[in-house]
Amino acid sequence: MKVFICGSVDPRIKPQYLEGIDKIGENLLQNHDGIMCVGSKTGSIGAMYTKMIEGDGHVDIIVPTPYAHEAEGMIANSITKVDTLFILQQVALRNTHATIVLPGGNGTLAELYMITDSIKSKFDTDIVIIYNANGFYNHLKEMNDFMLEAGTLNDTQYKYFTWCDTPEEVIAQLDKTRQELMAEKR
């Protein structure tokens, strides 16, 4: 299975929002799963990237051309350059089975909502696992619940969000996705 990783590339992210990423990465390694992410050795993406590389895991980097310099010198099975963030999302969704949204900033939120819009338009039906490390996404969840109640968020999009507060919950969702993929192959 291949998992698209969204999250922060900012080195200033507080350590409590990186907690548990190593456990999730260890599970991906144990199951011989690969990841696709933007090129960064810092932030929450950098934490997952480092875990995968140190464990000799499969990493594909996808990066918008204006940021290609950030991926220079990084170890990866492949590095794909694309013109825009929108194209990055489309390529990632076509080539992965699930998305994990780690703590991140505006770029991460843009990715999250572009992904859900792609799901809504039936471009892809990947599961979207939002890792709410130490309550990082509590306010976003409240806002989404409010938008759903207000009628401005489509519940068909929202049903693809799987909110996980612990790495164990993320791992359980990954295990479920793996089982579903194996059932489809039969």
Side-chain angles (χ1 to χ4, degrees), residues 4-46:
F4 181 47
I5 305 294
C6 301
S8 173
V9 298
D10 197 317
R12 299 171 300 164
I13 190 169
K14 294 186 172 150
Q16 69 260 32
Y17 301 122
L18 300 176
E19 289 178 13
I21 292 173
D22 58 333
K23 288 182 186 177
I24 298 166
E26 187 61 39
N27 178 268
L28 293 170
L29 288 165
Q30 288 172 353
N31 286 283
H32 307 287
D33 296 327
I35 66 167
M36 180 178 282
C37 62
V38 298
S40 179
K41 294 180 182 179
T42 59
S44 56
I45 287 179

Side-chain angles (χ1 to χ4, degrees), residues 7 12 16 26 28 47 51 59 78 82 91 100 104 108 111 113 118-119 135 142 147 152 161 175 184 186:
R12 299 171 300 164
Q16 69 260 32
E26 187 61 39
L28 293 170
K51 181 68 177 180
V59 175
S78 70
V82 295
V91 171
I100 298 176
T108 305
E111 288 178 312
Y113 287 106
S118 293
I119 291 170
E142 289 171 13
M147 289 188 300
T152 61
F161 286 15
D175 289 343
E184 286 176 14
R186 290 185 195 146

